[in-house]
Amino acid sequence: MKFYQRLAYYLVGFVIGSFFVVLVLSGKDTRCNYFPNARVLNDIRNKPFHYDSVATKQMSEGLADKTDIKNILTHGDVDFDKSNIPAEGGKKYVIYGQNKKAKEITLEVINYSNKAVLKNISETKE
């Protein structure tokens, strides 16, 4: 078999295989969360999210609103030195991010097995 025939067979198989891969993966909500930061934030976002009374008070003072919190839970940075600590039957995570006013804020979230609770919002001290 000549080279161009082998190349043609390879390309036909590659196209058919690619078609099936796209067909299988297009119908699913697939994410590639391989890094610990992305995995923690994705886990918190996919659970029912609740606000503690202290966090609700801080939100009413204008430190952050629900869209700021949603953005931080999508694009924030988890401080693993201060996180993954057992607290109140769950694990505490400290997440840094920015609000709409470009102020650095810190969220303290308790991640339970069935829900996530925002406990505290504060301005980040350098």
Side-chain angles (χ1 to χ4, degrees), residues 4-87:
Y4 70 89
Q5 290 174 325
R6 285 184 283 165
L7 182 63
Y9 278 118
Y10 171 77
L11 290 177
V12 168
F14 183 76
V15 168
I16 291 172
S18 298
F19 174 74
F20 282 116
V21 167
V22 168
L23 184 69
V24 167
L25 293 180
S26 67
K28 297 182 180 181
D29 186 21
T30 56
R31 292 184 182 93
C32 298
N33 295 330
Y34 295 113
F35 295 109
N37 192 59
R39 293 180 76 176
V40 167
L41 293 177
N42 187 40
D43 183 46
I44 291 172
R45 279 193 317 265
N46 288 332
K47 293 180 180 178
F49 198 75
H50 302 281
Y51 300 92
D52 191 52
S53 59
V54 174
T56 305
K57 181 181 176 219
Q58 292 166 338
M59 287 172 62
S60 67
E61 293 172 356
L63 191 55
D65 60 5
K66 288 186 179 187
T67 58
D68 291 333
I69 293 168
K70 185 178 269 192
N71 287 335
I72 292 171
L73 291 178
T74 303
H75 304 290
D77 293 318
V78 179
D79 185 356
F80 285 101
D81 290 336
K82 298 177 184 176
S83 297
N84 204 11
I85 299 169

Coordinates of all heavy atoms in Angstrom, one line a residue, residues 4-87:
Y4 N 0.1 7.6 0.2 CA -1.1 8.4 0.1 C -2.4 7.6 0.4 O -3.4 8.1 0.9 CB -1.2 9.1 -1.3 CG -1.5 8.1 -2.5 CD1 -2.8 7.8 -2.9 CD2 -0.5 7.6 -3.2 CE1 -3.1 7.0 -3.9 CE2 -0.7 6.7 -4.3 CZ -2.0 6.4 -4.6 OH -2.3 5.6 -5.7
Q5 N -2.3 6.2 0.1 CA -3.5 5.4 0.5 C -3.6 5.2 2.0 O -4.7 5.3 2.6 CB -3.4 4.0 -0.2 CG -3.6 4.0 -1.7 CD -3.3 2.7 -2.3 OE1 -2.4 2.0 -1.8 NE2 -4.0 2.4 -3.3
R6 N -2.4 5.0 2.6 CA -2.4 4.9 4.1 C -2.8 6.2 4.7 O -3.6 6.2 5.7 CB -1.0 4.5 4.6 CG -0.7 3.1 4.4 CD 0.7 2.7 4.9 NE 1.7 3.3 4.0 CZ 2.9 3.4 4.3 NH1 3.4 3.1 5.5 NH2 3.8 3.9 3.4
L7 N -2.4 7.4 4.2 CA -2.8 8.7 4.7 C -4.3 8.9 4.5 O -5.0 9.4 5.4 CB -2.0 9.8 4.0 CG -2.3 11.2 4.4 CD1 -1.9 11.4 5.9 CD2 -1.6 12.2 3.5
A8 N -4.9 8.4 3.4 CA -6.3 8.6 3.2 C -7.1 7.7 4.2 O -8.1 8.2 4.8 CB -6.6 8.1 1.8
Y9 N -6.6 6.5 4.5 CA -7.3 5.7 5.5 C -7.2 6.3 6.9 O -8.2 6.3 7.6 CB -6.7 4.2 5.5 CG -7.2 3.3 4.4 CD1 -6.4 2.8 3.5 CD2 -8.6 3.0 4.4 CE1 -6.9 2.0 2.5 CE2 -9.1 2.1 3.5 CZ -8.2 1.6 2.5 OH -8.7 0.8 1.5
Y10 N -6.1 6.8 7.2 CA -5.9 7.5 8.5 C -6.8 8.7 8.6 O -7.4 8.8 9.7 CB -4.4 7.9 8.6 CG -4.2 8.8 9.9 CD1 -4.1 8.2 11.1 CD2 -4.0 10.1 9.7 CE1 -3.9 9.0 12.2 CE2 -3.9 10.9 10.9 CZ -3.8 10.4 12.1 OH -3.6 11.1 13.2
L11 N -6.8 9.5 7.6 CA -7.7 10.7 7.7 C -9.2 10.4 7.8 O -9.9 11.0 8.5 CB -7.4 11.6 6.5 CG -6.0 12.3 6.5 CD1 -5.8 13.1 5.3 CD2 -5.9 13.2 7.8
V12 N -9.6 9.3 7.1 CA -11.0 8.9 7.1 C -11.3 8.4 8.5 O -12.3 8.8 9.1 CB -11.3 7.8 6.1 CG1 -12.7 7.2 6.3 CG2 -11.3 8.4 4.7
G13 N -10.5 7.6 9.1 CA -10.7 7.1 10.5 C -10.6 8.3 11.5 O -11.4 8.3 12.5
F14 N -9.7 9.2 11.3 CA -9.6 10.3 12.2 C -10.9 11.2 12.2 O -11.4 11.6 13.2 CB -8.4 11.2 11.8 CG -8.1 12.3 12.7 CD1 -7.6 12.1 14.0 CD2 -8.5 13.6 12.4 CE1 -7.4 13.2 14.9 CE2 -8.3 14.7 13.2 CZ -7.7 14.5 14.5
V15 N -11.4 11.4 11.0 CA -12.6 12.3 10.9 C -13.8 11.5 11.5 O -14.6 12.2 12.2 CB -12.9 12.6 9.4 CG1 -14.3 13.2 9.2 CG2 -11.8 13.6 8.9
I16 N -14.0 10.2 11.3 CA -15.1 9.5 11.8 C -14.9 9.5 13.4 O -15.9 9.7 14.1 CB -15.1 8.1 11.3 CG1 -15.5 8.1 9.8 CG2 -16.1 7.2 12.1 CD1 -15.4 6.8 9.1
G17 N -13.7 9.2 13.9 CA -13.5 9.2 15.3 C -13.8 10.6 16.0 O -14.4 10.7 17.0
S18 N -13.3 11.7 15.3 CA -13.6 13.0 15.8 C -15.1 13.3 15.8 O -15.6 13.9 16.8 CB -12.9 14.0 14.9 OG -11.5 13.8 15.0
F19 N -15.8 12.9 14.8 CA -17.3 13.1 14.8 C -17.9 12.4 16.0 O -18.8 13.0 16.6 CB -17.8 12.5 13.5 CG -19.3 12.5 13.4 CD1 -20.0 13.7 13.2 CD2 -20.0 11.4 13.5 CE1 -21.4 13.8 13.1 CE2 -21.4 11.4 13.5 CZ -22.1 12.6 13.3
F20 N -17.5 11.2 16.3 CA -18.2 10.5 17.4 C -17.8 11.1 18.8 O -18.6 11.2 19.7 CB -17.8 9.0 17.4 CG -18.6 8.2 16.4 CD1 -17.9 7.6 15.4 CD2 -20.0 8.1 16.5 CE1 -18.7 6.9 14.5 CE2 -20.7 7.4 15.6 CZ -20.0 6.8 14.6
V21 N -16.6 11.6 18.9 CA -16.2 12.3 20.1 C -17.0 13.6 20.3 O -17.5 13.9 21.4 CB -14.6 12.6 20.1 CG1 -14.3 13.5 21.2 CG2 -13.9 11.3 20.3
V22 N -17.1 14.4 19.3 CA -17.9 15.6 19.4 C -19.4 15.3 19.6 O -20.0 15.9 20.4 CB -17.7 16.4 18.0 CG1 -18.8 17.5 18.0 CG2 -16.3 17.0 17.9
L23 N -19.9 14.2 19.0 CA -21.3 13.8 19.2 C -21.5 13.4 20.7 O -22.5 13.8 21.3 CB -21.6 12.7 18.3 CG -23.1 12.2 18.3 CD1 -24.0 13.2 17.7 CD2 -23.2 10.9 17.6
V24 N -20.6 12.7 21.3 CA -20.8 12.2 22.7 C -20.6 13.4 23.7 O -21.4 13.5 24.6 CB -19.8 11.1 23.0 CG1 -19.7 10.8 24.5 CG2 -20.1 9.9 22.2
L25 N -19.6 14.3 23.5 CA -19.3 15.3 24.4 C -20.2 16.5 24.3 O -20.3 17.3 25.2 CB -17.8 15.7 24.4 CG -16.8 14.6 24.8 CD1 -15.4 15.2 24.7 CD2 -17.1 14.2 26.2
S26 N -20.8 16.7 23.2 CA -21.6 18.0 23.0 C -22.9 18.0 23.8 O -23.4 19.0 24.2 CB -21.9 18.2 21.5 OG -22.8 17.2 21.1
G27 N -23.4 16.8 24.1 CA -24.7 16.7 24.8 C -24.5 16.8 26.3 O -25.5 16.9 27.1
K28 N -23.3 16.8 26.8 CA -23.0 16.8 28.3 C -22.5 18.1 28.7 O -21.8 18.8 28.0 CB -22.1 15.6 28.6 CG -22.6 14.3 28.2 CD -21.6 13.2 28.6 CE -22.2 11.9 28.2 NZ -21.3 10.8 28.6
D29 N -22.7 18.3 30.0 CA -22.1 19.5 30.6 C -20.8 19.2 31.2 O -20.6 18.9 32.4 CB -23.1 20.0 31.7 CG -22.6 21.4 32.3 OD1 -21.9 22.1 31.6 OD2 -23.0 21.7 33.4
T30 N -19.8 19.1 30.3 CA -18.5 18.7 30.7 C -17.6 19.8 31.1 O -17.6 20.9 30.5 CB -17.8 17.9 29.6 OG1 -17.7 18.7 28.4 CG2 -18.5 16.6 29.3
R31 N -16.8 19.6 32.2 CA -15.8 20.7 32.6 C -14.5 20.0 32.9 O -14.5 18.8 33.3 CB -16.3 21.3 33.9 CG -17.5 22.2 33.7 CD -17.9 22.9 35.0 NE -19.1 23.7 34.8 CZ -20.3 23.3 35.1 NH1 -20.5 22.1 35.6 NH2 -21.3 24.1 35.0
C32 N -13.5 20.7 32.7 CA -12.1 20.1 32.9 C -11.5 20.9 34.1 O -10.8 21.8 33.9 CB -11.3 20.2 31.7 SG -11.9 19.3 30.3
N33 N -11.9 20.5 35.3 CA -11.4 21.1 36.5 C -10.3 20.2 37.1 O -10.6 19.4 38.0 CB -12.6 21.3 37.5 CG -13.6 22.3 37.0 OD1 -13.3 23.2 36.3 ND2 -14.8 22.1 37.4
Y34 N -9.1 20.4 36.7 CA -8.0 19.6 37.1 C -7.3 20.3 38.3 O -6.7 19.6 39.1 CB -7.0 19.3 36.0 CG -7.7 18.5 34.9 CD1 -7.9 19.0 33.7 CD2 -8.1 17.2 35.2 CE1 -8.5 18.2 32.7 CE2 -8.6 16.4 34.2 CZ -8.8 16.9 32.9 OH -9.4 16.2 32.0
F35 N -7.3 21.6 38.4 CA -6.5 22.3 39.4 C -7.4 22.4 40.7 O -8.6 22.6 40.6 CB -6.1 23.7 38.9 CG -5.1 23.6 37.8 CD1 -5.5 23.9 36.5 CD2 -3.8 23.1 38.0 CE1 -4.6 23.8 35.5 CE2 -2.9 23.0 37.0 CZ -3.3 23.3 35.7
P36 N -6.8 22.4 41.9 CA -7.5 22.4 43.1 C -8.4 23.7 43.2 O -9.5 23.6 43.7 CB -6.4 22.4 44.2 CG -5.3 21.8 43.5 CD -5.3 22.2 42.1
N37 N -7.9 24.8 42.8 CA -8.7 26.1 42.9 C -10.0 25.9 42.1 O -11.1 26.3 42.6 CB -7.8 27.2 42.4 CG -8.4 28.6 42.7 OD1 -8.6 28.9 43.9 ND2 -8.7 29.4 41.7
A38 N -9.9 25.5 40.9 CA -11.1 25.3 40.1 C -12.1 24.3 40.6 O -13.3 24.4 40.6 CB -10.7 25.0 38.6
R39 N -11.5 23.2 41.2 CA -12.4 22.2 41.7 C -13.2 22.6 42.9 O -14.4 22.3 43.1 CB -11.5 20.9 42.1 CG -11.0 20.3 40.8 CD -10.1 19.1 41.2 NE -11.0 18.0 41.5 CZ -10.6 16.8 41.8 NH1 -9.4 16.5 41.8 NH2 -11.5 15.9 42.1
V40 N -12.5 23.4 43.8 CA -13.2 23.9 45.0 C -14.3 24.9 44.6 O -15.4 24.8 45.1 CB -12.2 24.5 46.0 CG1 -12.9 25.3 47.1 CG2 -11.3 23.5 46.6
L41 N -13.9 25.8 43.8 CA -14.9 26.8 43.4 C -16.1 26.2 42.6 O -17.3 26.6 42.9 CB -14.3 27.9 42.5 CG -13.2 28.8 43.2 CD1 -12.6 29.7 42.2 CD2 -13.9 29.6 44.3
N42 N -15.8 25.2 41.8 CA -16.9 24.5 41.1 C -17.8 23.8 42.1 O -19.0 23.8 42.0 CB -16.3 23.6 40.1 CG -17.4 23.0 39.2 OD1 -18.3 23.6 38.8 ND2 -17.2 21.7 38.9
D43 N -17.2 23.1 43.1 CA -18.0 22.4 44.1 C -18.9 23.4 44.9 O -20.1 23.1 45.1 CB -17.1 21.7 45.0 CG -17.8 20.8 46.0 OD1 -18.7 20.1 45.6 OD2 -17.4 20.9 47.2
I44 N -18.4 24.5 45.2 CA -19.2 25.5 46.0 C -20.3 26.0 45.1 O -21.4 26.2 45.6 CB -18.3 26.6 46.5 CG1 -17.4 26.0 47.6 CG2 -19.1 27.8 47.1 CD1 -16.3 27.0 48.1
R45 N -20.0 26.3 43.9 CA -21.0 26.9 43.0 C -22.2 26.0 42.7 O -23.3 26.4 42.4 CB -20.4 27.3 41.6 CG -19.7 28.6 41.6 CD -19.4 29.1 40.2 NE -18.9 28.1 39.4 CZ -17.6 27.8 39.1 NH1 -16.7 28.6 39.7 NH2 -17.2 26.9 38.3
N46 N -21.9 24.7 42.6 CA -22.9 23.7 42.3 C -23.8 23.2 43.4 O -24.7 22.4 43.2 CB -22.2 22.4 41.6 CG -21.7 22.8 40.2 OD1 -22.2 23.7 39.6 ND2 -20.7 22.1 39.8
K47 N -23.6 23.7 44.6 CA -24.4 23.4 45.7 C -25.4 24.6 46.0 O -25.1 25.7 45.6 CB -23.6 23.2 47.0 CG -22.7 21.9 46.9 CD -21.9 21.8 48.1 CE -21.0 20.5 48.0 NZ -20.2 20.3 49.1
P48 N -26.5 24.3 46.7 CA -27.3 25.4 47.2 C -26.5 26.4 48.0 O -25.8 25.9 48.9 CB -28.4 24.8 48.0 CG -28.4 23.3 47.5 CD -27.0 23.0 47.1
F49 N -26.6 27.7 47.7 CA -25.8 28.7 48.4 C -26.6 29.5 49.3 O -27.7 30.0 48.9 CB -25.1 29.6 47.3 CG -23.9 30.3 47.9 CD1 -22.7 29.7 48.1 CD2 -24.0 31.7 48.1 CE1 -21.6 30.4 48.6 CE2 -23.0 32.4 48.6 CZ -21.8 31.8 48.8
H50 N -26.2 29.6 50.6 CA -26.9 30.3 51.6 C -26.1 31.4 52.2 O -24.8 31.4 52.1 CB -27.4 29.4 52.7 CG -28.2 28.3 52.3 ND1 -29.6 28.4 52.0 CD2 -27.9 27.0 52.0 CE1 -30.1 27.3 51.6 NE2 -29.1 26.4 51.6
Y51 N -26.7 32.4 52.8 CA -26.0 33.6 53.3 C -26.3 33.6 54.8 O -27.4 33.6 55.3 CB -26.5 34.9 52.7 CG -26.2 35.0 51.2 CD1 -27.2 34.6 50.3 CD2 -25.0 35.4 50.7 CE1 -27.0 34.6 49.0 CE2 -24.8 35.5 49.4 CZ -25.8 35.1 48.5 OH -25.5 35.1 47.1
D52 N -25.2 33.7 55.6 CA -25.3 33.9 57.1 C -25.8 35.3 57.4 O -25.8 36.2 56.6 CB -24.0 33.6 57.7 CG -24.0 33.5 59.2 OD1 -24.8 32.7 59.7 OD2 -23.3 34.2 59.9
S53 N -26.4 35.5 58.6 CA -26.9 36.8 59.0 C -25.8 37.9 59.0 O -26.0 39.0 58.6 CB -27.6 36.7 60.3 OG -26.7 36.3 61.3
V54 N -24.6 37.5 59.4 CA -23.5 38.4 59.4 C -23.1 38.8 57.9 O -22.9 40.0 57.6 CB -22.2 37.8 60.1 CG1 -21.0 38.7 59.9 CG2 -22.5 37.5 61.5
A55 N -23.1 37.9 57.0 CA -22.8 38.2 55.6 C -23.9 39.0 55.0 O -23.6 39.9 54.2 CB -22.6 36.9 54.8
T56 N -25.1 38.8 55.3 CA -26.2 39.6 54.8 C -26.1 41.0 55.3 O -26.4 41.9 54.5 CB -27.6 39.0 55.3 OG1 -27.6 37.6 54.9 CG2 -28.7 39.7 54.7
K57 N -25.7 41.2 56.5 CA -25.5 42.6 57.1 C -24.4 43.3 56.3 O -24.5 44.4 56.0 CB -25.3 42.5 58.6 CG -25.1 43.9 59.2 CD -24.8 43.7 60.7 CE -24.5 45.1 61.2 NZ -23.4 45.1 62.2
Q58 N -23.3 42.6 56.1 CA -22.2 43.1 55.4 C -22.5 43.5 53.9 O -22.1 44.4 53.4 CB -21.0 42.2 55.5 CG -20.4 42.1 56.9 CD -19.5 40.9 57.0 OE1 -19.5 40.0 56.2 NE2 -18.6 41.0 58.0
M59 N -23.4 42.6 53.3 CA -23.8 42.9 52.0 C -24.7 44.2 51.9 O -24.6 45.0 51.0 CB -24.6 41.7 51.4 CG -23.7 40.6 51.0 SD -24.6 39.1 50.6 CE -25.5 39.6 49.2
S60 N -25.6 44.4 53.0 CA -26.4 45.6 53.0 C -25.6 46.8 53.2 O -26.0 47.9 52.9 CB -27.5 45.4 54.1 OG -26.9 45.4 55.4
E61 N -24.4 46.7 53.8 CA -23.5 47.9 54.0 C -22.8 48.3 52.7 O -22.1 49.3 52.7 CB -22.5 47.6 55.1 CG -23.1 47.4 56.5 CD -22.1 46.9 57.5 OE1 -21.0 46.6 57.2 OE2 -22.5 46.8 58.7
G62 N -22.9 47.5 51.7 CA -22.4 47.8 50.4 C -21.0 47.3 50.1 O -20.4 47.7 49.1
L63 N -20.5 46.4 50.9 CA -19.2 45.8 50.7 C -19.2 44.9 49.4 O -18.2 44.9 48.6 CB -18.7 45.0 51.9 CG -17.3 44.5 51.9 CD1 -16.4 45.7 51.7 CD2 -17.0 43.8 53.2
A64 N -20.3 44.2 49.2 CA -20.4 43.3 48.0 C -21.9 43.0 47.8 O -22.7 43.2 48.7 CB -19.6 42.0 48.2
D65 N -22.3 42.7 46.6 CA -23.6 42.2 46.3 C -23.6 40.8 45.8 O -22.5 40.2 45.6 CB -24.4 43.2 45.4 CG -23.7 43.4 44.1 OD1 -22.7 42.7 43.8 OD2 -24.2 44.2 43.3
K66 N -24.7 40.3 45.4 CA -24.8 38.9 44.9 C -24.0 38.7 43.6 O -23.4 37.6 43.5 CB -26.3 38.5 44.8 CG -26.9 38.3 46.1 CD -28.3 37.7 45.9 CE -29.0 37.5 47.3 NZ -30.2 36.8 47.2
T67 N -24.0 39.6 42.8 CA -23.2 39.5 41.5 C -21.7 39.5 41.8 O -21.0 38.7 41.1 CB -23.6 40.5 40.5 OG1 -23.3 41.8 41.0 CG2 -25.0 40.4 40.0
D68 N -21.3 40.3 42.8 CA -19.9 40.2 43.1 C -19.5 38.9 43.7 O -18.4 38.3 43.4 CB -19.6 41.3 44.2 CG -19.7 42.7 43.7 OD1 -19.4 42.9 42.5 OD2 -20.0 43.6 44.5
I69 N -20.4 38.3 44.5 CA -20.1 37.0 45.1 C -20.1 35.9 44.1 O -19.2 35.1 44.1 CB -21.1 36.7 46.3 CG1 -20.9 37.7 47.4 CG2 -21.0 35.3 46.7 CD1 -21.9 37.8 48.4
K70 N -21.0 36.0 43.1 CA -21.0 35.0 42.1 C -19.8 35.1 41.2 O -19.2 34.1 40.8 CB -22.3 35.3 41.2 CG -22.4 34.2 40.1 CD -23.7 34.5 39.3 CE -24.8 33.7 40.0 NZ -26.0 33.7 39.2
N71 N -19.3 36.3 40.9 CA -18.1 36.5 40.1 C -16.8 36.0 40.9 O -15.9 35.4 40.3 CB -17.9 38.0 39.8 CG -18.8 38.4 38.7 OD1 -19.3 37.6 37.9 ND2 -19.1 39.7 38.6
I72 N -16.8 36.2 42.2 CA -15.7 35.8 43.0 C -15.7 34.2 43.1 O -14.6 33.6 43.0 CB -15.7 36.4 44.4 CG1 -15.4 37.9 44.3 CG2 -14.7 35.7 45.3 CD1 -15.6 38.6 45.6
L73 N -16.9 33.6 43.2 CA -16.9 32.2 43.2 C -16.6 31.6 41.8 O -16.4 30.4 41.7 CB -18.3 31.7 43.7 CG -18.6 32.0 45.1 CD1 -20.0 31.6 45.5 CD2 -17.6 31.3 46.1
T74 N -16.6 32.4 40.8 CA -16.2 31.9 39.5 C -14.7 32.1 39.2 O -14.0 31.3 38.7 CB -17.1 32.6 38.4 OG1 -18.5 32.3 38.7 CG2 -16.8 32.0 37.0
H75 N -14.2 33.3 39.5 CA -12.9 33.7 39.1 C -12.0 34.0 40.3 O -10.9 34.5 40.1 CB -13.0 35.0 38.3 CG -13.8 34.9 37.1 ND1 -13.5 34.1 36.0 CD2 -15.0 35.5 36.8 CE1 -14.4 34.2 35.1 NE2 -15.4 35.0 35.6
G76 N -12.4 33.7 41.5 CA -11.6 34.0 42.7 C -10.4 33.0 42.9 O -10.2 32.1 42.2
D77 N -9.7 33.3 43.9 CA -8.5 32.5 44.3 C -8.7 32.0 45.7 O -8.9 32.8 46.7 CB -7.2 33.4 44.3 CG -6.9 33.8 42.9 OD1 -7.0 33.0 42.0 OD2 -6.4 35.0 42.7
V78 N -8.6 30.7 45.9 CA -8.7 30.0 47.2 C -7.4 30.0 47.9 O -6.4 29.7 47.3 CB -9.2 28.6 47.0 CG1 -9.4 27.9 48.4 CG2 -10.6 28.6 46.3
D79 N -7.3 30.5 49.1 CA -6.1 30.5 49.9 C -6.1 29.2 50.7 O -6.7 29.0 51.7 CB -6.1 31.7 50.9 CG -4.8 31.8 51.7 OD1 -3.9 30.9 51.5 OD2 -4.6 32.7 52.4
F80 N -5.3 28.2 50.2 CA -5.3 26.9 50.8 C -4.6 26.8 52.1 O -4.7 25.8 52.8 CB -4.8 25.8 49.8 CG -5.8 25.5 48.7 CD1 -5.6 26.1 47.4 CD2 -6.8 24.7 48.9 CE1 -6.6 25.8 46.4 CE2 -7.7 24.4 47.9 CZ -7.6 24.9 46.7
D81 N -3.8 27.8 52.4 CA -3.1 27.8 53.7 C -4.1 28.1 54.8 O -3.9 27.6 55.9 CB -2.0 28.9 53.7 CG -0.8 28.6 52.9 OD1 -0.6 27.3 52.6 OD2 -0.1 29.5 52.4
K82 N -5.2 28.8 54.5 CA -6.2 29.2 55.5 C -7.5 28.4 55.3 O -8.4 28.6 56.0 CB -6.5 30.7 55.4 CG -5.3 31.6 55.7 CD -5.7 33.0 55.6 CE -4.5 33.9 55.8 NZ -4.8 35.3 55.6
S83 N -7.5 27.5 54.3 CA -8.7 26.8 53.9 C -8.6 25.3 54.2 O -7.6 24.8 54.6 CB -9.0 27.0 52.4 OG -9.2 28.4 52.1
N84 N -9.7 24.6 53.9 CA -9.9 23.2 54.1 C -9.7 22.8 55.5 O -9.2 21.8 55.9 CB -8.9 22.4 53.2 CG -9.4 21.0 52.9 OD1 -10.5 20.7 53.1 ND2 -8.5 20.2 52.3
I85 N -10.2 23.7 56.4 CA -10.2 23.5 57.8 C -11.5 23.1 58.3 O -12.5 23.7 58.0 CB -9.7 24.8 58.5 CG1 -8.4 25.2 58.1 CG2 -9.8 24.7 60.0 CD1 -8.0 26.6 58.5
P86 N -11.6 22.0 59.1 CA -13.0 21.6 59.6 C -13.6 22.7 60.5 O -12.9 23.2 61.4 CB -12.7 20.3 60.4 CG -11.4 19.8 59.9 CD -10.6 21.0 59.4
A87 N -14.8 23.0 60.2 CA -15.5 24.1 60.9 C -17.0 23.9 60.9 O -17.6 23.7 59.8 CB -15.2 25.5 60.4

